[in-house]
């Protein structure tokens, strides 16, 4: 099992985690809320800088697993979808840089 999609699909099958899409979305919302609560507590409601602790990795992994499970349930390849999004963002950035007016008279020479 080297492909992450396979790992998620096989573990979800073994643990009987498959659920309808609305249920998976609610679970993802709950997992994201847990991450938010973790940051809120660790930063004392924003008064201290955030430093990820060991629990952060586990909670982020739970959220990522849920996204992969949702993708598996809906027939989406997350790797392809994320790669396409990254490519679109890269292309938009390149187009914006090309369309930006020159910095004259402030451009460094």
């Amino acid at each position: 099992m080297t492909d992450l999609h396979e790992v998620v699909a096989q573990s979800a099958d073994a643990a009987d985690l498959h659920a309808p899409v609305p249920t998976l979305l609610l679970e993802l919302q709950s997992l994201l809320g847990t991450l938010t609560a973790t940051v809120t507590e660790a930063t004392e409601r924003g008064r201290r800088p955030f430093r990820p602790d060991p629990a952060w990795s586990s909670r982020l992994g739970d959220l990522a697993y849920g996204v992969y499970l949702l993708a598996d349930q809906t027939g989406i390849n997350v790797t392809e979808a994320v790669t396409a999004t990254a490519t679109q963002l890269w292309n938009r950035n390149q187009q914006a840089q090309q369309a930006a007016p020159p910095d004259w008279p402030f451009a460094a020479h």
Side-chain angles (χ1 to χ4, degrees), residues 101-109:
D103 292 335
W104 185 89
F106 305 106
H109 296 330

Side-chain angles (χ1 to χ4, degrees), residues 3 8-9 12-13 18 33 38-40 63 66 78 84 90 104 106:
D3 179 55
V8 170
D13 289 343
H18 299 291
T38 300
V39 172
T40 300
L63 180 64
V78 175
W90 172 266
W104 185 89
F106 305 106

Side-chain angles (χ1 to χ4, degrees), residues 5-94:
H5 296 279
E6 281 182 46
V7 171
V8 170
Q10 289 180 9
S11 65
D13 289 343
D16 197 23
L17 293 178
H18 299 291
V21 170
T23 301
L24 292 173
L25 287 171
L26 288 171
E27 187 170 339
L28 282 172
Q29 185 176 7
S30 175
L31 291 168
L32 184 58
T34 300
L35 273 177
T36 302
T38 300
V39 172
T40 300
E41 182 180 323
T43 63
E44 295 178 8
R45 302 186 65 77
R47 290 187 292 273
R48 295 182 345 182
F50 177 65
R51 305 263 190 297
D53 63 8
W56 176 256
S57 176
S58 176
R59 289 186 178 124
L60 192 57
D62 291 344
L63 180 64
Y65 183 91
V67 169
Y68 271 86
L69 183 58
L70 178 63
D72 179 61
Q73 289 294 98
T74 57
I76 301 298
N77 182 318
V78 175
T79 303
E80 289 176 5
V82 170
T83 301
T85 298
T87 300
Q88 289 173 356
L89 291 170
W90 172 266
N91 290 338
R92 273 189 237 146
N93 181 52
Q94 294 302 308

